[in-house]
Amino acid sequence: MKIRNEYQIALFKNAVAQCSGYAALVDTKTGREYDLKDNFVLTEALARLVLDYDEALELFVTKREDVEIMIELMDCLSREEKDISRKIA
């Protein structure tokens, strides 16, 4: 998952806020877990996510309904990425 601009950050924050259970980003290289429900940690996680060139962060949620929220987020980010690519080409 790539986050590239302020709009995408807002979408991500909104999706996390909608989650009723635990949500985290986990760095697969270091094992560091970022609790996305903690505002201070969320800010740090977003900074890390924006700079995640090697895509080492994985999204983790505990509730089925939260999985649906995050799938919708990733779908939205994917569609926006395609739109940006078309405009550049």
Side-chain angles (χ1 to χ4, degrees), residues 24-42:
L25 282 175
V26 178
D27 188 322
T28 57
K29 290 184 177 182
T30 65
R32 169 90 192 267
E33 192 170 311
Y34 298 91
D35 177 359
L36 299 176
K37 292 295 189 166
D38 179 313
N39 283 331
F40 178 75
V41 176
L42 174 61

Side-chain angles (χ1 to χ4, degrees), residues 18-75:
Q18 289 179 46
C19 291
S20 60
Y22 181 73
L25 282 175
V26 178
D27 188 322
T28 57
K29 290 184 177 182
T30 65
R32 169 90 192 267
E33 192 170 311
Y34 298 91
D35 177 359
L36 299 176
K37 292 295 189 166
D38 179 313
N39 283 331
F40 178 75
V41 176
L42 174 61
T43 301
E44 183 182 355
L46 283 168
R48 177 68 175 87
L49 186 59
V50 168
L51 298 173
D52 187 28
Y53 300 113
D54 55 358
E55 297 186 37
L57 294 175
E58 291 188 10
L59 189 58
F60 176 79
V61 293
T62 56
K63 292 191 172 183
R64 179 179 291 271
E65 57 268 19
D66 296 343
V67 171
E68 295 299 321
I69 292 167
M70 291 304 175
I71 288 173
E72 287 180 32
L73 169 67
M74 287 187 257
D75 184 49

